[in-house]
Amino acid sequence: MDQNIKQAITKGETALGIEFGSTRIKAVLIDRRFETIASGSYEWENLLADGYWTYNLTDIITGLQTAYSELKLEVEQKYGVKLQTVGSIGFSAMMHGYMAFDSAGELLVPFRTWRNATTGAAAKALTDLFQFNIPERWSIAHLYQAILNEEQHVPQVDYVTTLAGYIHWLLTGSKALGIGDASGMFPIDEAAQDYNASMIQQFDELVAAKGYPWKLNDILPKVCNAGEHAGALTAAGAAILDPSGDLQAGIPLCPPEGDAGTGMVATNSVRKRTGNISVGTSVFAMIVLEKDLSTVYPEIDMVTTPDGSPVGMVHANNCSSDINAWLSLFREFYEAMGQKADAGQLFSVMFNKALEADPDGGGLLSYGYFSGENITGIEKGRPLFVRSPESRFNLANFMRTHLFTAFAALRVGMDILTQKENVNIDSILAHGGLFKTPVVGQKMVAAALNVPVSVMSTAGEGGAWGMALLAAYLTDKEEQEQLDDYLANKVFKNAEGQEIKPDASDVQGFGLFMERYMKGLAIEQAAVDHLVENWRE
């Protein structure tokens, strides 16, 4: 078997996917059987600088090179082959945000990520103008907010893109973007498979009095569909990705995508009536719709699959960050006791305690708002854990409460789709690091959404693997073969998975937890700020 893999690597019969997640950059190399044969990663964290969540360019390039070099080293150590070429490459990253460049290719302001809840005025104005929900994290909201703020860099803007689009441009020279990622920058016209032309015109008319030297369509990336050729690795790009000089130029690249799109691909959820949940620093559910929604909902993003089908997306900014912070505290205590803590074992033990808890978490309450939460109207990060004297305060209830709250904001949006719009969902597949511990995460999500939740054997592979599949689709698809057929008939034909149905007591318990959660949200943001500031004093 290793000999076959060695030959595939030598001949370039592989596909490389690299995804820039919020806490980890991961590179995955797959073979023709879609199995991971090597991987590499780089841990990183966003920074809060001058009021904006950001990553600096140095970390972006360092992370890219480190993840690739680890993958390359694994190839050489496992198979005795120096990695010099691959069949195709694809890059993906956190969606949305704002990367604005001038005509010389210089970044005008530090990268503003999806995590920033600073564009409320712009998002509301554009939503009213377009009669289409424009969330605060979308690129067009960031651009218009910069205009409203009269930021000095705006007249110099020559190109605006996402993180994935930036990496793709850097390595290929091509200003292209996959339709899924593009749909988180600006609304997409499903029929045209491009930006909505009438809304582009509306925006240009809105800012015409400013006299900027650009028109919106001229500064956005070209929209590409899955399977399209979106550029080739240049010599300069190869040198950036692999500074050793071993990697050859000329490798074809598929359209860069967002992490939502790669999550759909990695869970075989691009067909209508299917859905997936992607869990990490943030959490989002993607439901492929059969028809348009009846009205505009600020809680629901309308985006697309990587092949352009409409998707109702419920995105909550916060999921695992507060859980990770608490487990880091427990780990610190454990090590202070002179014990050596294994991260995997720590998460497994603590997560499984949640299965011993009272169904509602014992009357405890938590808001894991490490950053602002658009879906519930909380502007700034305010992690909060609350209990009353009557609460049943123990480790099991503590863990269940924090797992419940990780999906509480998501539930708010999902109720709109299932109850107000009567959206039918045949299946939901989950993926992300939280599901590495068997059963627990699935049971919590099944309770939160009251639907069966499946985790496939490939769930731990994540978005980088999904991106590698899109890269493979570029070069391996048959003529006229659609993405959903490619995934169902080739990639996932024999995939194994585990489905967990919602337990009635868990569903009831989550309902009781949500009652406490929603009552707590009735407190005005100002009151929360006042409480926190006085507490600090």
Side-chain angles (χ1 to χ4, degrees), residues 78-202:
K78 288 178 67 173
Y79 309 110
V81 178
K82 183 174 290 186
L83 190 59
Q84 296 179 309
T85 189
V86 296
S88 52
I89 301 175
F91 293 102
S92 54
M94 301 165 278
M95 290 178 68
H96 318 299
Y98 182 69
M99 296 192 82
F101 300 87
D102 63 17
S103 58
E106 295 296 322
L107 190 65
L108 290 167
V109 291
F111 170 33
R112 296 171 183 176
T113 78
W114 58 270
R115 198 170 197 172
N116 291 289
T118 56
T119 65
K124 183 180 186 306
L126 293 176
T127 297
D128 292 343
L129 176 67
F130 298 151
Q131 285 301 293
F132 185 99
N133 183 37
I134 303 295
E136 292 185 32
R137 61 189 167 276
W138 278 32
S139 306
I140 191 61
H142 282 277
L143 174 62
Y144 189 50
Q145 190 65 53
I147 292 171
L148 294 178
N149 295 345
E150 298 185 345
E151 296 187 35
Q152 293 181 354
H153 76 274
V154 176
Q156 303 172 58
V157 170
D158 184 71
Y159 184 46
V160 176
T161 189
T162 63
L163 178 54
Y166 166 65
I167 297 296
H168 183 89
W169 175 41
L170 186 68
L171 271 59
T172 67
S174 173
K175 294 180 176 180
L177 199 62
I179 192 169
D181 205 12
S183 70
M185 291 191 72
F186 193 87
I188 293 292
D189 180 339
E190 183 186 0
Q193 296 285 285
D194 203 349
Y195 301 117
N196 187 298
S198 64
M199 293 181 188
I200 290 274
Q201 183 178 351
Q202 285 178 295

Side-chain angles (χ1 to χ4, degrees), residues 398-417:
F398 180 87
M399 287 308 301
R400 175 168 286 229
T401 294
H402 281 85
L403 286 168
F404 270 3
T405 200
F407 302 107
L410 181 76
R411 166 69 177 267
V412 174
M414 288 296 291
D415 280 350
I416 293 172
L417 288 178

Side-chain angles (χ1 to χ4, degrees), residues 273 287 289-294 297 414-425:
R273 296 173 62 110
I287 310 300
L289 303 176
E290 296 179 281
K291 59 184 177 65
D292 292 337
L293 302 182
S294 62
Y297 298 100
M414 288 296 291
D415 280 350
I416 293 172
L417 288 178
T418 58
Q419 296 179 17
K420 292 186 178 181
E421 290 290 329
N422 297 312
V423 169
N424 295 309
I425 307 170

